[in-house]
Amino acid sequence: MMMTERNMISSISMMYRQAHRFYDKKLEEYNISSGQLTFLLCIHEHEGISMYGVAQLGHFDKGTVTKGIQKLEEQGYIRVETDEADKRSRRLYTTGKAVLIIERLYGIRQEWNEILVDGLTPEECAKAEELLGRMAENAWKYMNERN
């Protein structure tokens, strides 16, 4: 049975909202929101990345990245340094405070993933990951070819 457009969009929207609720609750003790989690893990995985690099990797607009980075810096989870080779560019690094909780953050993300795939076979999980990845790429490609 083919999922209707409305059901597909509604399901994706519901998962998105529930993910934010889950992350916001789990991250409350760290004073990190669901939106900041993605930025913090990206910076951890790519120490010295620029804000533009974060935007590109996550397909975020620059304004969203700037706000999220500013909050993480204010909270002491990241430090921002001016690039010596290009004074216009700012490099991002995690701090010791972030390093202390990084493994817990990955665990929280894994916990949500396990909730989502509960009851699915490994084959269904692989297919879902493939299809959602293709759908996300289609959305990104469409919007970026039009702007």
Side-chain angles (χ1 to χ4, degrees):
M1 179 175 145
M2 183 125 195
M3 186 178 262
T4 65
E5 178 182 332
R6 181 173 178 214
N7 286 339
M8 187 181 322
I9 292 168
S10 294
S11 294
I12 292 169
S13 178
M14 184 185 70
M15 284 189 298
Y16 177 80
R17 290 189 315 273
Q18 298 310 314
H20 279 275
R21 287 182 62 205
F22 174 85
Y23 285 129
D24 286 344
K25 183 178 179 181
K26 293 284 187 172
L27 299 170
E28 189 174 38
E29 69 181 283
Y30 305 112
N31 249 355
I32 298 172
S33 71
S34 54
Q36 294 165 328
L37 173 67
T38 303
F39 299 140
L40 185 55
L41 293 179
C42 178
I43 294 164
H44 172 71
E45 293 167 3
H46 302 91
E47 293 285 342
I49 192 169
S50 67
M51 283 204 256
Y52 179 72
V54 172
Q56 281 190 306
L57 276 177
H59 302 290
F60 297 106
D61 64 86
K62 289 186 263 182
T64 300
V65 173
T66 300
K67 287 180 205 171
I69 297 303
Q70 184 177 18
K71 288 178 184 176
L72 287 170
E73 185 179 23
E74 288 169 2
Q75 305 244 326
Y77 287 112
I78 64 164
R79 70 179 196 283
V80 181
E81 297 179 6
T82 301
D83 187 326
E84 291 301 316
D86 179 1
K87 299 291 185 193
R88 298 169 296 167
S89 183
R90 299 170 64 196
R91 299 288 170 185
L92 310 172
Y93 302 90
T94 52
T95 63
K97 181 179 179 180
V99 171
L100 292 174
I101 65 167
I102 289 291
E103 289 308 314
R104 177 68 183 124
L105 299 180
Y106 282 116
I108 291 169
R109 192 171 70 175
Q110 181 61 33
E111 184 180 350
W112 181 245
N113 189 63
E114 289 171 9
I115 290 166
L116 289 179
V117 301
D118 184 44
L120 299 181
T121 66
E123 294 79 18
E124 289 171 326
C125 290
K127 192 64 172 177
E129 188 174 346
E130 175 196 345
L131 294 174
L132 287 169
R134 286 173 45 197
M135 291 167 67
E137 189 62 33
N138 287 344
W140 183 86
K141 184 177 171 185
Y142 178 86
M143 292 307 295
N144 284 286
E145 287 177 353
R146 304 268 186 266
N147 291 327

